[in-house]
Amino acid sequence: MAFDFLPLPYGFDALEPVIDARTVEIHYTKHHATYHKNFVAAVEKHPELMDLSIESILADLNKIPEDIRNVVRGNGGGYYNHTLYWANMGPNAGGEPKGAVAEAIKAAYGDFAAFKAEIEKTGLGRLGSGYAWLSCKPDRSLVIHATMNQDTPLAEGLTPLLVVDVWEHAYYLKYQNRRAEYLAAWWNLVNWNVVEERFLAVK
Ligand code: MN
């Protein structure tokens, strides 16, 4: 089955105190699971799509039959984006990046503090729902950007390296309207090993 719903790589309470267990549970078992279910239901109407990867589908939505295109854009994006988000967080994480991605960040943004400030500014500036990203261009240069709703970097020809969900459902129980506080605390969860693997995998 090509479109697996991956298990959460840690327990619901593993991201405490930065993200509370109830938020993780609802986010994963309700929001993420529903995006996956709706996406699979849409694709099943066009079985020829079952042979494609999720990345290939989201990179070129114009090839998706029109009757399911919007459902795939929103729910396929929601399925994919959340998988990346869960994977680039973890308990006992945070700190500063190492390796090739650390060097690329330093080259592009000067230092880690400036990089963090740019991600936080981008996440705060995403009016409404969406994500802030560190992504990679085809020439392997880095870009910090936001996407709206469940749109993905893939649709812009970019490879995602790091993502933070700034939909209210990601932080509202604990932080309410204080998105900046969530973003500042979120750095304590970043699994930089995963970000490095994603960067090294870019061809
Ligand atoms: Mn979310």
Side-chain angles (χ1 to χ4, degrees):
M1 174 66 203
F3 306 116
D4 291 332
F5 186 61
L6 296 179
L8 196 67
Y10 34 73
F12 296 140
D13 63 354
L15 306 182
E16 295 261 15
V18 176
I19 305 177
D20 61 283
R22 185 77 178 128
T23 293
V24 173
E25 181 176 2
I26 297 169
H27 200 169
Y28 175 73
T29 68
K30 308 293 184 193
H31 294 275
H32 191 186
T34 302
Y35 288 124
H36 175 255
K37 182 169 154 261
N38 292 342
F39 168 69
V40 170
V43 167
E44 281 172 348
K45 293 180 193 167
H46 294 276
E48 73 277 10
L49 299 176
M50 300 294 280
D51 294 333
L52 299 176
S53 68
I54 183 67
E55 289 85 358
S56 154
I57 287 173
L58 294 171
D60 185 9
L61 287 162
N62 287 324
K63 73 185 172 204
I64 304 304
E66 210 173 345
D67 64 310
I68 62 164
R69 191 176 301 151
N70 281 335
V71 175
V72 166
R73 179 180 177 179
N75 291 278
Y79 160 50
Y80 176 75
N81 290 339
H82 285 99
T83 303
L84 294 177
Y85 173 67
W86 300 127
N88 68 210
M89 297 188 293
N92 310 311
E96 298 206 6
K98 296 184 191 79
V101 79
E103 283 171 35
I105 285 171
K106 198 176 171 192
Y109 303 102
D111 60 28
F112 187 55
F115 163 78
K116 284 190 355 181
E118 188 64 24
I119 291 270
E120 289 179 35
K121 187 177 124 192
T122 301
L124 271 177
R126 171 66 278 162
L127 210 63
S129 297
Y131 298 82
W133 304 85
L134 174 68
S135 293
C136 194
K137 295 180 188 173
D139 66 2
R140 296 187 105 242
S141 63
L142 301 182
V143 56
I144 290 172
H145 64 117
T147 54
M148 189 165 56
N149 298 327
Q150 295 298 351
D151 287 349
T152 73
L154 300 172
E156 300 175 44
L158 301 170
T159 302
L161 303 180
L162 174 68
V163 60
V164 56
D165 189 338
V166 296
W167 282 62
E168 280 188 342
H169 66 226
Y171 61 86
Y172 201 84
L173 290 182
K174 180 173 170 127
Y175 298 92
Q176 293 86 48
N177 62 314
R178 304 185 306 278
R179 187 188 288 183
E181 213 176 290
Y182 157 70
L183 283 169
W186 179 79
W187 294 108
N188 294 304
L189 300 176
V190 174
N191 184 339
W192 287 108
N193 295 330
V194 168
V195 180
E196 173 78 353
E197 281 166 24
R198 289 174 185 166
F199 184 58
L200 294 177
V202 176
K203 292 182 187 89

